[in-house]
Amino acid sequence: MAYIAFASAKGSPGVTTAVAALAATWPADRPLVVAELDPAGGDLVVRLDLATEPGLVSLAAAGRRELDRDTLLAHSQPVPALEGDGRASRRVLAGPVAAEQALASLSALRGVLAGVLAAVEADVLVDCGRLDPSSPVTEVAANADLLVAVARPVVAEVHHLAPRLASLKPRSASLLTVGDRPYTAAEVAEAVGASALGTLPADERAAVVLAGGHPDVVRQLRRSRLLRDARSVAEVLASWLAPPQARPDLPPPPPGPPVFVSEPPAPAADAPPEARPDLPPPPGAPPPEARRDLPPPPGAPPPEARPDL
């Protein structure tokens, strides 16, 4: 299976809110796991009224010798608020609130989380928080089948995001903007070298309700623009992923081979992660042969006349 990572390069543009909104509107027939790997500390324990354990801290303790996908799932929690109405399983690997605990846990799991997340037989959305150069989840973001950069469409964030993506060299990158002014998602995506995934509104009221962890948040916000737009983005991402393989009404698959917690050989500094030939181009990116049909960028001169026509 594939996993999708979400991250920002500067400030707090709403990565966790975006992931929570997508989880709340994810297609009902697809099992989903949300992994909260923000080194600055997690919010989902509070937002979704979850227990502090199991979670990322207990996973780090259990994975000191070996770690596989079943161990990761065993340290996740079901989320009743996101289930019901015939939905497939919804689980969360919750990060600790304290940044010190989050950083220590992620440092202990450095080098193995990417492979284990990729082995989970469900759709996986990963909240990587802000990607500083020293972040322990840089490898998780770079090796994701798709890295979704979340940013506000303002000049300052564009200037931070462009060099960060260039140095990270992700397999594939899309841009999700929060707000649509003063620039569109397409304009920002072109500037930072990513495909334009879409835009979520800067809806503070809906974000507050979503952050409050109400047990019926989907019904409360069903008419909000935030969840409407999130549903459209979720459908695009889900259609980009492979068809779901996990059936919640069937027993889990046999454990995969264990992954030992040891630092793998470091790749060359300029070597990007290998591409996944079995996955299509990132959402929002037209196929190469169609790129010539894109309209010219704003302000571009009109094409020269064809004297032979």
Side-chain angles (χ1 to χ4, degrees), residues 52-62 64 75 93-96 98 101-102 105 109:
T52 54
E53 289 192 359
L56 181 62
V57 174
S58 62
L59 177 67
R64 285 176 179 170
H75 289 268
L93 175 67
Q101 284 186 306
S105 300
L109 295 170

Side-chain angles (χ1 to χ4, degrees), residues 125-152:
L125 307 182
V126 184
D127 179 354
C128 293
R130 189 175 67 191
L131 281 181
D132 296 323
S134 59
S135 171
V137 291
T138 297
E139 182 190 23
V140 172
N143 284 279
D145 297 285
L146 177 65
L147 172 61
V148 177
V150 182
R152 296 186 186 91

Side-chain angles (χ1 to χ4, degrees), residues 59 67-76 116 119-120 252-256:
L59 177 67
L67 181 67
D68 59 29
R69 66 190 180 194
D70 294 312
T71 306
L72 185 145
L73 290 175
H75 289 268
S76 65
V116 175
V120 173

